[in-house]
Amino acid sequence: MNQIEWNDFTKVELRVGRVISAEVFAEARKPAYKLHIDFGPEIGLRKSSAQITAHYKPENLIGKLVVAVVNFPPKQIGPLMSECLVTGFHDAEGRVTLCVPEHVVPLGTKLL
């Protein structure tokens, strides 16, 4: 495992956002959803593609708090310009489960 300096970690903007819409990303090569996430007034709304279809249905994602990297440059994923990277972990079968806060925190709050 490569070690990093504290200053490297502080450059990553991991923020809490709330999913406001989720739909099947039919054009994606691997099963995924298109997400619209509200990160509060400072950051605003961001779009993302997330390969989280094994554990989640679009209707169950609405209102869910997620943790995402918001300071990567935008990335074109098929017809979608992804503006943030939603974080998660692979389970024992390799399916992604979201990284979420245990309690409600204000939108846009930075991971410590």
Side-chain angles (χ1 to χ4, degrees):
M1 178 179 350
N2 292 328
Q3 289 191 344
I4 63 172
E5 300 293 325
W6 178 254
N7 285 340
D8 295 325
F9 176 72
T10 62
K11 292 176 187 175
V12 181
E13 293 284 330
L14 285 154
R15 303 288 185 122
V16 172
R18 184 179 308 280
V19 177
I20 59 168
S21 71
E23 62 185 84
V24 173
F25 189 0
E27 303 89 352
R29 285 184 285 155
K30 295 182 180 179
Y33 296 135
K34 292 180 192 177
L35 305 178
H36 287 81
I37 304 165
D38 182 3
F39 290 96
E42 181 185 337
I43 297 168
L45 296 175
R46 299 278 177 101
K47 295 177 285 189
S48 186
S49 170
Q51 294 176 3
I52 56 173
T53 58
H55 287 300
Y56 305 95
K57 300 284 184 219
E59 59 272 17
N60 297 335
L61 291 166
I62 308 302
K64 188 171 216 39
L65 292 177
V66 295
V67 176
V69 178
V70 297
N71 64 331
F72 279 145
K75 181 177 180 179
Q76 191 72 47
I77 301 175
L80 177 74
M81 182 62 73
S82 183
E83 302 167 316
C84 64
L85 174 69
V86 176
T87 62
F89 301 95
H90 287 112
D91 67 14
E93 287 79 38
R95 302 168 301 190
V96 178
T97 185
L98 290 169
C99 178
V100 299
E102 184 175 0
H103 302 286
V104 175
V105 296
L107 299 181
T109 298
K110 186 174 179 181
L111 181 80
L112 302 174

